[in-house]
Amino acid sequence: MLEIKNLRASYGEIEALHDVSFHVEDGAIVALLGANGAGKTTTLRAISGTIKHSGTITFDGVSLTDYGPEDVARLGIAHVPEGRGTLAELTVWENLMLGGYLLRSEPLHEQYARVTEYFPWMETRKKQHAGTLSGGEQQMLAIARALMMKPKVILLDEPSMGLAPLVARDIFALLQTINRKDGVALLLVEQNAVSALATASHAYVLETGRVAATGIAQELARDDRVRRLYLGLDPITA
Ligand code: ATP
């Protein structure tokens, strides 16, 4: 459904992506892993139309080459950026309404009811300012806001960042539930390789702007070479 071919992107003189190709199938969970600076965030920015790039990105057969962020979102690609992107001064309710504003495929109250089924606590906290929520709650709000668009795919940039392990575990479990129930595909950028590989079906490992390893997530998680060279994990057989 989402196909990236020979993607290149630069920040001024610095070439961040040299040649990245991968795809995300309908309804799949795909992890994009790699060390700091490997180009994970830049890849998501290129897909969501927030940085210039060359190469091709197609979504359901449509080329995204000349698409800006709003056009990409309207096609059904939601982006939950690093640091979540919720608006601290706005309430939970207002943040959700901003998410629903772009794509009014169903009445707002129906969107709200559908999304808050995953996050029942939001109903009682809807007047709370987003900035006063815990880190885990803010991450859930960012995911909920993306879901208000009823997207076909969500790009998630390090959803476990800064969260306690148990809270991160809940977020990964929730993402799997949302994927299963809503059929929405997830492209999951993560530093937490173990959790990401346990959540995803397929994974791509980036190294300095190139795809260095790819495969079925469970198999990559057991591959000692991949663990040692690219994921900073101890070999299983050590
Ligand atoms: P991390 O896991 O640390 O977030 P990443 O894999 O997401 O890393 P990117 O943020 O995509 O990596 O960065 C890829 C390269 O591009 C790095 O060398 C980084 O320094 C550079 N880069 C990223 N953003 C900018 C920017 N705004 N200006 C200049 N260089 C940048």
Side-chain angles (χ1 to χ4, degrees):
M1 157 175 74
L2 178 63
E3 182 153 45
I4 285 88
K5 274 193 186 156
N6 310 117
L7 185 64
R8 298 169 80 103
S10 306
Y11 298 98
E13 301 280 285
I14 302 166
E15 190 166 75
L17 302 179
H18 303 293
D19 183 11
V20 172
S21 300
F22 66 95
H23 68 276
V24 179
E25 282 178 19
D26 223 345
I29 304 182
V30 172
L32 195 56
L33 308 174
N36 289 123
K40 306 180 296 296
T41 295
T42 306
T43 302
L44 296 194
R45 285 184 186 143
I47 298 169
S48 64
T50 49
I51 59 159
K52 280 194 173 167
H53 56 269
S54 64
T56 58
I57 304 176
T58 49
F59 181 63
D60 279 346
V62 176
S63 167
L64 304 189
T65 302
D66 297 319
Y67 278 44
E70 206 175 310
D71 308 313
V72 171
R74 280 185 201 284
L75 276 183
I77 302 178
H79 187 185
V80 179
E82 211 170 357
R84 293 154 199 151
T86 48
L87 297 170
E89 302 304 317
L90 299 187
T91 63
V92 167
W93 166 265
E94 287 163 343
N95 268 283
L96 289 174
M97 291 305 117
L98 276 180
Y101 175 75
L102 201 56
L103 273 193
R104 291 234 177 111
S105 52
E106 58 188 345
L108 272 177
H109 68 274
E110 283 178 25
Q111 286 173 278
Y112 176 79
R114 172 175 56 80
V115 169
T116 49
E117 241 178 63
Y118 294 114
F119 313 93
W121 60 269
M122 282 182 196
E123 176 58 20
T124 51
R125 310 277 284 280
K126 60 186 176 191
K127 291 186 181 155
Q128 187 172 341
H129 286 110
T132 64
L133 295 172
S134 74
E137 289 163 352
Q138 284 185 34
Q139 185 60 59
M140 288 185 219
L141 180 58
I143 295 167
R145 193 175 67 171
L147 280 174
M148 288 289 289
M149 284 172 46
K150 215 171 185 188
K152 295 181 190 156
V153 55
I154 308 179
L155 316 176
L156 292 141
D157 201 342
E158 304 216 23
S160 75
M161 190 196 266
L163 303 183
L166 283 181
V167 178
R169 194 192 62 185
D170 289 348
I171 297 273
F172 286 118
L174 193 64
L175 288 174
Q176 278 183 317
T177 304
I178 290 169
N179 165 261
R180 202 177 53 244
K181 285 196 176 169
D182 268 33
V184 58
L186 306 175
L187 178 57
L188 180 60
V189 157
E190 261 300 331
Q191 282 290 335
N192 185 341
V194 172
S195 297
L197 289 172
T199 306
S201 54
H202 281 76
Y204 295 83
V205 184
L206 293 188
E207 191 192 35
T208 52
R210 287 192 170 81
V211 176
T214 171
I216 293 170
Q218 283 182 353
E219 290 176 5
L220 283 181
R222 287 195 299 262
D223 184 325
D224 281 345
R225 186 178 150 274
V226 170
R227 290 172 70 88
R228 184 168 43 83
L229 284 180
Y230 305 120
L231 302 179
L233 300 171
D234 291 331
I236 295 173
T237 51

